[in-house]
Amino acid sequence: GAGVSQSPRYKVAKRGQDVALRCDPISGHVSLFWYQQALGQGPEFLTYFQNEAQLDKSGLPSDRFFAERPEGSVSTLKIQRTQQEDSAVYLCASSLLALAAYNEQFFGPGTRLTVL
Amino acid sequence: SQQGEEDPQALSIQEGENATMNCSYKTSINNLQWYRQNSGRGLVHLILIRSNEREKHSGRLRVTLDTSKKSSSLLITASRAADTASYFCATDGQTGANNLFFGTGTRLTVIP
């Protein structure tokens, strides 16, 4: 594909449900990032993968959040027992190389999660 | 918490005018990037300026960086209605970090 894709684009969940958000990065991109963006705010870092290795998960807000990238391409962000404060847009980004500081990140359109 | 803060939070100008947005950050950086986000869409990379650069141009965009003041500015010249979007600065924040720290953004509205 031409860019980063995410699915679903919109997800409504009842409080307590589990959700899974998918990211398809640009083919061949080494780095993959997940961000959480609250309404009216900038994206906040959640976790980072270099190929299949999750090198940084310091931004995950609780142990209800889990991410994986088992084959170094597609990634899934899973949120267990969703809470209302989890409502946000979840953005996935990929970059060709490692080291975010030196590389442009390509963002997907995001998944808007609403927890009722 | 977010590394940077943009100023102003919102800016409204007439088409053809120039728009200037400022970004301040807190810690030493390697580079600073600017991104644009149209409503309901993902972010699009605009420009990257390295910590040893003071100014960089790309088309109608001009970015400056003052590491002594920990600040950057983004100038859009001859604005167009299509420039209406939110603009974010992003920094790496610290040595070895693999993620970007985004500011709170400036919402730019260009009136046709």
Side-chain angles (χ1 to χ4, degrees):
Chain A
V4 178
S5 60
Q6 292 185 245
S7 61
R9 290 293 313 279
Y10 303 91
K11 177 68 179 178
V12 178
K14 291 183 179 178
R15 190 161 56 95
Q17 276 186 329
D18 297 348
V19 298
L21 312 180
R22 177 187 168 107
C23 172
D24 285 80
I26 294 173
S27 178
H29 276 198
V30 167
S31 297
L32 185 145
F33 307 82
W34 283 98
Y35 292 89
Q36 181 189 60
Q37 186 175 24
L39 188 64
Q41 299 295 312
E44 293 216 12
F45 170 77
L46 294 177
T47 187
Y48 163 70
F49 290 86
Q50 188 175 116
N51 297 309
E52 69 279 4
Q54 188 175 21
L55 298 186
D56 188 345
K57 53 182 180 179
S58 61
L60 296 177
S62 78
D63 59 7
R64 297 185 294 103
F65 287 70
F66 171 77
E68 60 182 3
R69 193 187 186 197
E71 297 178 358
S73 54
V74 171
S75 177
T76 304
L77 175 67
K78 297 179 180 178
I79 309 174
Q80 296 177 323
R81 304 180 303 281
T82 53
Q83 303 294 314
Q84 284 189 323
E85 61 262 29
D86 299 335
S87 295
V89 175
Y90 290 85
L91 295 166
C92 175
S94 69
S95 64
L96 180 61
L97 303 172
L99 293 180
Y102 299 93
N103 290 279
E104 170 185 356
Q105 293 190 14
F106 295 82
F107 281 80
T111 293
R112 181 178 296 277
L113 173 65
T114 303
V115 182
L116 303 177
Chain B
S1 62
Q2 294 184 324
Q3 157 81 327
E5 289 189 6
E6 282 88 346
D7 165 55
Q9 289 188 348
L11 179 62
S12 184
I13 59 174
Q14 296 288 329
E15 198 166 34
E17 293 180 338
N18 296 341
T20 299
M21 289 160 271
N22 303 297
C23 165
S24 59
Y25 56 91
K26 298 175 183 174
T27 64
S28 297
I29 62 171
N30 294 302
N31 305 301
L32 185 143
Q33 304 183 36
W34 283 90
Y35 285 81
R36 182 187 73 220
Q37 185 177 36
N38 290 86
S39 181
R41 309 279 289 276
L43 283 79
V44 174
H45 180 265
L46 295 176
I47 197 165
L48 181 153
I49 185 166
R50 302 193 186 284
S51 59
N52 62 354
E53 296 177 309
R54 292 296 168 257
E55 187 171 313
K56 198 163 183 179
H57 297 253
S58 177
R60 295 184 295 112
L61 305 181
R62 172 179 167 246
V63 169
T64 62
L65 179 63
D66 187 335
T67 53
S68 66
K69 295 182 180 178
K70 292 186 169 57
S71 67
S72 174
S73 67
L74 171 66
L75 168 68
I76 304 174
T77 60
S79 63
R80 305 167 181 169
D83 294 330
T84 294
S86 292
Y87 292 81
F88 296 91
C89 67
T91 61
D92 55 283
Q94 60 188 18
T95 301
N98 281 303
N99 55 288
L100 293 177
F101 294 88
F102 286 84
T104 51
T106 292
R107 175 69 189 169
L108 173 67
T109 301
V110 181
I111 302 167

